[in-house]
Amino acid sequence: MYKNLKNKVATPVIRRLPVYYRKLSDCVEQGRDRISSQELSELCGFSASQIRQDLNHFGGFGQQGYGYNTALLRDEIAQILGIHNRYKAVVVGAGRLGTAIFEYEGIRKSGFDIVALFDNDPKKIGMKVEHVTIEPADELLHYIDHHQVDVAIITVPKTAAEEIIRRLDAHGIRGIWNFAPVDVNVTHSIVENTRINDSILKLSYYLQHGR
Amino acid sequence: MYKNLKNKVATPVIRRLPVYYRKLSDCVEQGRDRISSQELSELCGFSASQIRQDLNHFGGFGQQGYGYNTALLRDEIAQILGIHNRYKAVVVGAGRLGTAIFEYEGIRKSGFDIVALFDNDPKKIGMKVEHVTIEPADELLHYIDHHQVDVAIITVPKTAAEEIIRRLDAHGIRGIWNFAPVDVNVTHSIVENTRINDSILKLSYYLQHGR
DNA sequence: TAGATTGTTAATCGATTAACAATC
DNA sequence: TAGATTGTTAATCGATTAACAATC
């Protein structure tokens, strides 16, 4: 088990954890059961030194002269990332993106079970996506007050997002995964913003200026 | 017009440019025509000093004693990001995510016109998404050899993504926006990876450990 | 044991912040 | 002009890299 985090871990480290997890999962899948920091460096594109530094924030998972056991290290990182926790999530906005997220099995594999979908379009309400019925957006708050919901996934347009996020925060939601291009000052919720549009602007920048 | 970039600009700076662009667009939309680095700092969450540093990589867009003209600064950043360039793009993988991207107007507003959609599912081939017909994935390379295509957007599963990316690179595509969880060593293409799954793992981490 | 590779400390590098002269 | 705020240099902070003793 990884050691307790007395000191806050720097965000660059946390951003690299999912990469380690992904690459180690690939290794395990391919039947590779051992890896050195140098070999992992070649897979991830981070330096071997950095990898050893990163991992030692959480504990000594390797063995001198041997390296790391891939399955063991993957599982440790899974624990650190909290992949084995289960969270109940709702999707707010049942458009293309919302339903794409809903159907994406990676979400469930990462510990999130989507239990409800909300939309304000009368044409969509009552429709089923897989086994889940789309419910009216104005029942969202009532729903989270009466069911255990840990996380809301926001895929509504920018204009609606801010108020929804503020209200979810006020109603005590633990986590918000926000795809809308708004920043909301929440009081206690943990917000993770995913800005798809920022990504394409980065691509645009590099197309113009080169890497 | 912004000054030429002799020295490469650090990636943290480039990551912040889309944020500046977004916040300044909001200001312009709200009729606000002037902003100081301090005020912009409050909107973006970066320090005023950092904002002034960032902008001065590209030129002096402000005025002492006044601040910045929002519309002017927004337009300069748009130029730097290359938003006014037009690129022709194809989407490879016409699933939920691929069609969500296809329909997302932000893509077009950022300079990318999606001209074709490809999929390998016989049930999808021939179907229309808006005005564009889904074409068979095995005609992708032929298509890019015979039409002007600047960018490919990859929303196929992991198993198919690596080979498609390698081939697109070999066929001379300029840019690849990749949503699949694979890293491919390309020879000359510019690849921007968007890892939706890494985002939710970060949320998972913070749910467990707090911010 | 000898060889390999980690865990960890110290050195370096780069990014952020502070400060202030320039100037609108 | 006086006040405000930039542009820019210098100082600080933090993250990455290098080095090597510990040890499997």
Side-chain angles (χ1 to χ4, degrees), chain B residues 42-169:
Chain B
E42 279 148 32
L43 292 179
C44 297
F46 316 136
S47 77
S49 192
Q50 181 165 69
I51 291 171
R52 294 201 302 278
Q53 283 271 25
D54 283 357
L55 297 178
N56 279 102
H57 280 107
F58 304 100
F61 305 131
Q63 201 168 62
Q64 282 95 331
Y66 173 87
Y68 302 86
N69 178 288
T70 53
L72 197 140
L73 184 56
R74 179 203 56 182
D75 291 343
E76 290 288 355
I77 293 173
Q79 284 292 333
I80 295 162
L81 287 170
I83 287 172
H84 301 313
N85 302 338
R86 300 301 316 166
Y87 297 107
K88 290 202 193 302
V90 298
V91 171
V92 189
R96 294 262 186 197
L97 181 60
T99 52
I101 297 289
F102 178 86
E103 290 192 341
Y104 179 43
E105 60 165 356
I107 306 299
R108 201 178 40 70
K109 282 190 185 159
S110 302
F112 297 83
D113 295 307
I114 298 175
V115 295
L117 269 160
F118 294 87
D119 206 285
N120 69 355
D121 180 350
K123 287 196 290 291
K124 284 184 189 159
I125 292 164
M127 279 173 60
K128 282 204 165 196
V129 184
E130 289 177 12
H131 56 291
V132 173
T133 308
I134 299 174
E135 302 186 44
D138 51 20
E139 282 172 24
L140 170 64
L141 295 174
H142 182 265
Y143 185 95
I144 72 157
D145 288 343
H146 293 269
H147 298 76
Q148 196 222 320
V149 176
D150 304 295
V151 170
I153 302 169
I154 310 298
T155 62
V156 300
K158 175 178 154 181
T159 43
E162 185 160 346
E163 191 172 329
I164 289 173
I165 291 172
R166 219 192 308 280
R167 287 189 175 171
L168 286 166
D169 177 52

Side-chain angles (χ1 to χ4, degrees), chain A residues 55-68:
Chain A
L55 298 178
N56 280 102
H57 279 107
F58 304 99
F61 305 131
Q63 201 167 61
Q64 282 97 332
Y66 173 89
Y68 301 86

